[in-house]
Amino acid sequence: MEMSYVSTTSTYNNVTAATLRPSNHSVPIYVLVVTILSCLLSLIGIICIFVSYYAIASVRNYIRKLLLCLTIANLLDVIGIIIGLARYILLEYTDVSNQHEQESCTLHSFITSFAPCSSFFWTVLIAVYIQVQVLKPRWVDNMSNKRATVTYHVMSWGIPGITCIVGLYFDVFGDTEDIFTGPWCWIRTSLPRKTAILWMFLTVKGWEILSYIILAEVLVYVVYKKYILPTCMKKRRTPFAELFGQNTQVNVSEGLRPEDKNFVYVWLIFYVLRFGGTFRFLMHIIKEPTDGVMINTDRAMMVWQAFGDTAQAFGNFIFLCVFDKSIRQHYCSKHINNISDDHVAARSEALVNSGFTSTESLPA
């Protein structure tokens, strides 16, 4: 049944704007369903990424360690979204009174600001590491030593942490009224508009847009346009074949496996999944949607954001585990061996039950 919408007038940061809101709940039920689905898929992806890393020794190179750090950030983000989702459902769809409603809103706002920001750093580090592997292999040892690793952790966890702690001190986290998000809190829209937008840039969106720019430079300009594609045009080979082929003239160090070409898709996953939230954010800070077309666009982008903001781990699982030949072969061979062992055990049991002894010859 289509949810009826009514026109209301809301005040946002001393600016009155005519908006359309659902007559019952501000976030449509299908957005909640998509958010739950995205969280579940990401949890599956997170578990599989960790299990694959620790179960298969051949994939444990340095770039996989960076992926684990990115996956931890994704896990924190999913946990924060789940807390916000549970809070929203309790407030909107039940009669349960939450005495700590504001505290839970602030808590998951902190988590969902810290975790995505950290994931941006790790995503960029993976991209830069790939770039160095392709263009400056002699720098790889300096990028993967203990000092560099400590630097990555301090930067990727420390900068988002400090930013969010400062935001917590100034009490900027709170109810966003689904204007810039889905069914979760972020920066309080009760703040003055310019202040709220500034903190949205400082905690998440500024780092996100900066990541777009850096990833575009790495992927499009350096790796493809400047080096790989000209070589491919001469040899009539695909970019991936040229980048990771056995007979390639591109000097890639031994730190990457042929299957690690799939890490190129980490950047594509990032762009596709985060686009919905970025588009909604820019749309709202430019002009509050008031006409039918803009409102429908905002609703569509809300669905995109509800799925994409927490789905990076699932996307990484698809491209970096399911599409990884070594991981597939490991689990397929293990499955075949288990079937073979079960068959042998069943056959032996059948022979024993038939009266065969160890001194009797077994049938071939």
Side-chain angles (χ1 to χ4, degrees), residues 184-229:
W184 59 87
C185 301
W186 184 21
I187 303 299
R188 289 192 296 114
T189 49
S190 57
L191 294 170
R193 182 177 177 84
K194 291 184 179 179
T195 302
I197 291 175
L198 173 62
W199 278 103
M200 290 175 183
F201 270 104
L202 289 176
T203 54
V204 176
K205 290 304 175 182
W207 301 105
E208 183 180 53
I209 294 172
L210 180 61
S211 299
Y212 288 150
I213 298 172
I214 296 175
L215 293 176
E217 181 273 332
V218 172
L219 179 61
V220 178
Y221 183 72
V222 178
V223 178
Y224 283 86
K225 185 176 180 180
K226 187 177 180 180
Y227 197 83
I228 303 300
L229 287 183

Side-chain angles (χ1 to χ4, degrees), residues 140-161:
V140 169
D141 291 338
N142 293 330
M143 278 200 66
S144 56
N145 59 30
K146 186 175 181 180
R147 178 180 296 180
T149 302
V150 172
T151 302
Y152 302 154
H153 281 282
V154 171
M155 179 176 62
S156 300
W157 304 116
I159 294 177

Side-chain angles (χ1 to χ4, degrees), residues 307-323:
F307 181 83
D309 276 10
T310 54
Q312 186 179 19
F314 179 69
N316 290 341
F317 159 69
I318 295 296
F319 285 99
L320 304 179
C321 290
V322 177
F323 290 170

Side-chain angles (χ1 to χ4, degrees), residues 211-327:
S211 299
Y212 288 150
I213 298 172
I214 296 175
L215 293 176
E217 181 273 332
V218 172
L219 179 61
V220 178
Y221 183 72
V222 178
V223 178
Y224 283 86
K225 185 176 180 180
K226 187 177 180 180
Y227 197 83
I228 303 300
L229 287 183
T231 308
C232 296
M233 291 175 66
K234 293 179 182 179
K235 294 185 177 182
R236 296 183 179 179
R237 301 181 66 189
T238 64
F240 287 161
E242 188 60 41
L243 182 57
F244 291 93
Q246 295 181 353
N247 299 322
T248 179
Q249 295 180 357
V250 180
N251 185 21
V252 179
S253 75
E254 297 179 356
L256 293 179
R257 303 174 302 121
E259 293 88 349
D260 287 335
K261 65 186 180 183
N262 293 336
F263 274 88
V264 174
Y265 294 116
V266 171
W267 316 332
L268 178 62
I269 294 167
F270 179 81
Y271 279 121
V272 172
L273 295 180
R274 301 296 305 190
F275 174 78
T278 305
F279 184 89
R280 285 192 73 215
F281 173 75
L282 295 176
M283 182 175 67
H284 278 280
I285 67 173
I286 293 172
K287 183 182 179 181
E288 192 74 17
T290 56
D291 59 85
V293 175
M294 293 297 292
I295 291 171
N296 289 333
T297 301
D298 180 64
R299 290 170 60 189
M301 290 296 104
M302 180 185 287
V303 176
W304 192 332
Q305 181 182 11
F307 181 83
D309 276 10
T310 54
Q312 186 179 19
F314 179 69
N316 290 341
F317 159 69
I318 295 296
F319 285 99
L320 304 179
C321 290
V322 177
F323 290 170
D324 190 297
K325 185 177 179 181
S326 298
I327 295 177

